[in-house]
């Protein structure tokens, strides 16, 4: 249910906020948390009740005091905190990675719907979004044809990505301190540290984390046209360049550290540092993409 997804998202964000509080410090009021998390006070109260239940906070009058840091196990799994459309997108990208999908591959709606455990309408809507970019083509009676993309296509799209992500990163750094995006950034920073600690066995999980991190940044400067383009950008930059499996663990570890530097720059609210960290990370991503094309 949508409401359940919103609650789980809010709870994970609240854990990120809790992680930043010293033991013994009071949580902000329900009104403040509602504004920071971007949810209703009812959802906030439900999330706090779960913190109580898990003995992560204690009650002192009407306030809650931080008594224990949250462990990774306290978070709801990412798959439970995203919408059906987002889950389908993630599953589709992972499916393409596993299958090492090549140009000319036929995509069957019914088979994907069964594998992803969703209706064919959801799959069709997802595929329709990519059709206008020329990466896939609808075929009568034979499903969809994956046409692939060229290096020139990737470079052109990268130029657009670089322009709007830098714009969004600078906008993020200017957000007020009580904006919910900062709580989300704390939560995703913790996830970066957790993944880096287990990188030897979980380096494949970086694709999803990478996607969510950049979506968070771009969400600081909402733009309907940028949002529309981001689906195709996800396909190329957050998944396609990882089709090159050579040195994947090392590359992902480097990218995680770049993200952490990027996050530190955002938190500093120093626009020069944000500009430098953003451009440095995007330059690295561009190099990785070009290397992937050269080894195809």
């Amino acid at each position: 249910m949508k409401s359940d997804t919103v609650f789980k998202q809010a709870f994970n964000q609240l854990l990120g906020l809790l992680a930043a509080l010293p033991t013994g410090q009071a949580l902000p009021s329900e009104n403040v948390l509602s504004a920071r998390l971007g949810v209703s006070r009812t959802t906030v109260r439900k999330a706090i009740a779960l913190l109580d239940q898990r003995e992560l906070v204690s009650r002192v009058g009407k306030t809650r005091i931080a008594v224990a840091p949250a462990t990774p196990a306290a978070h709801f799994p990412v798959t439970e905190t995203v919408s059906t459309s987002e889950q389908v997108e993630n599953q589709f990208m992972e499916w393409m990675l596993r299958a090492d999908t090549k140009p000319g591959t036929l995509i069957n709606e019914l088979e994907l719907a069964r594998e992803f455990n969703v209706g064919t309408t959801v799959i069709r809507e997802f595929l329709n979004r990519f059709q206008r970019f020329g990466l896939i083509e609808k075929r009568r009676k034979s499903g969809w044809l994956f046409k692939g993309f060229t290096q020139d296509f990737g470079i052109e799209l990268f130029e657009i990505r670089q322009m709007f992500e830098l714009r969004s990163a600078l906008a993020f750094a200017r957000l007020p301190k009580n904006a919910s995006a900062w709580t989300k950034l704390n939560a995703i920073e913790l996830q970066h540290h957790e993944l880096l600690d287990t990188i030897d066995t979980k380096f494949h999980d970086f694709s999803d984390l990478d996607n969510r991190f950049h979506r968070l940044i771009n969400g600081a400067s909402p733009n309907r046209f940028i949002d529309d383009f981001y689906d195709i950008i996800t396909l190329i930059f957050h998944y396609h360049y990882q089709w090159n499996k050579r040195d994947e663990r090392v590359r992902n570890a480097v990218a995680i550290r770049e993200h952490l530097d990027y996050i530190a720059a955002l938190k500093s609210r120093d626009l020069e540092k944000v500009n430098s960290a953003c451009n440095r990370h995007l330059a690295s991503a561009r190099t990785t993409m070009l290397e992937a094309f050269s080894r195809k």
Side-chain angles (χ1 to χ4, degrees):
M1 293 177 60
K2 182 178 179 180
S3 58
D4 195 48
T5 298
V6 169
F7 160 68
K8 291 178 178 179
Q9 287 176 337
F11 181 77
N12 282 358
Q13 292 170 32
L14 187 54
L15 289 178
L17 187 150
L18 186 64
L21 289 179
T23 299
Q25 184 168 327
L27 265 67
S29 68
E30 289 180 0
N31 286 335
V32 171
L33 288 175
S34 176
R36 286 191 184 181
L37 303 178
V39 296
S40 68
R41 289 177 60 190
T42 300
T43 300
V44 168
R45 284 193 289 269
K46 184 178 177 183
I48 291 176
L50 187 53
L51 291 180
D52 274 329
Q53 181 183 329
R54 297 186 177 181
E55 299 181 342
L56 296 173
V57 296
S58 63
R59 183 192 295 268
V60 178
K62 293 184 178 181
T63 63
R64 300 300 198 287
I65 306 298
V67 296
T71 64
H75 293 75
F76 285 106
V78 173
T79 54
E80 297 181 19
T81 63
V82 296
S83 66
T84 299
S85 61
E86 289 177 302
Q87 289 185 44
V88 168
E89 177 180 302
N90 291 337
Q91 288 175 299
F92 181 76
M93 301 306 181
E94 295 297 335
W95 173 78
M96 294 187 77
L97 281 172
R98 291 197 309 270
D100 193 19
T101 308
K102 304 292 186 183
T105 299
L106 289 176
I107 301 172
N108 185 287
E109 290 178 6
L110 183 57
E111 290 179 2
L112 285 185
R114 287 172 177 167
E115 183 168 347
F116 299 167
N117 195 29
V118 295
T120 53
T121 300
V122 177
I123 297 295
R124 190 175 302 117
E125 289 175 350
F126 173 77
L127 295 174
N128 273 326
R129 282 187 292 168
F130 289 102
Q131 186 175 15
R132 63 186 179 279
F133 294 106
L135 297 180
I136 61 174
E137 179 180 286
K138 187 73 173 72
R139 291 294 183 88
R140 287 187 178 182
K141 299 181 181 180
S142 61
W144 298 79
L145 178 70
F146 178 62
K147 300 176 67 175
F149 33 72
T150 65
Q151 178 173 306
D152 287 342
F153 183 97
I155 291 174
E156 290 175 16
L157 196 61
F158 190 92
E159 292 174 354
I160 301 299
R161 176 193 180 185
Q162 192 162 23
M163 286 189 289
F164 77 64
E165 179 154 336
L166 180 57
R167 170 181 176 273
S168 296
L170 295 174
F172 198 111
R174 297 187 184 101
L175 289 173
K177 293 181 179 180
N178 63 350
S180 62
W182 293 111
T183 303
K184 294 176 182 178
L185 187 65
N186 286 336
I188 210 165
E189 180 182 25
L190 179 61
Q191 292 165 16
H192 275 77
H193 284 294
E194 291 168 356
L195 183 55
L196 193 58
D197 288 342
T198 57
I199 193 67
D200 287 339
T201 57
K202 295 186 177 181
F203 59 90
H204 295 295
D205 294 348
F206 177 68
S207 294
D208 176 64
L209 185 61
D210 188 40
N211 181 21
R212 290 186 289 111
F213 172 64
H214 287 283
R215 281 190 183 276
L216 175 62
I217 292 174
N218 288 300
S221 182
N223 182 299
R224 72 189 70 181
F225 303 106
I226 289 175
D227 291 344
D228 195 42
F229 269 102
Y230 205 80
D231 288 327
I232 192 62
I233 285 173
T234 294
L235 178 62
I236 292 184
F237 297 109
H238 296 162
Y239 290 89
H240 175 64
Y241 70 67
Q242 294 182 48
W243 288 1
N244 169 25
K245 297 298 181 181
R246 182 177 176 183
D247 301 327
E248 184 180 7
R249 188 201 69 78
V250 174
R251 287 187 287 107
N252 287 356
V254 169
I256 290 172
R257 292 187 177 93
E258 289 178 355
H259 279 191
L260 289 171
D261 289 342
Y262 198 163
I263 291 171
L266 290 170
K267 285 186 169 184
S268 76
R269 304 169 77 88
D270 183 317
L271 299 186
E272 289 187 9
K273 290 182 179 179
V274 172
N275 183 80
S276 177
C278 176
N279 281 319
R280 185 165 57 250
H281 177 57
L282 292 180
S284 178
R286 185 179 188 276
T287 298
T288 302
M289 180 197 71
L290 293 177
E291 288 177 351
F293 275 111
S294 69
R295 293 171 179 169
K296 285 177 63 176

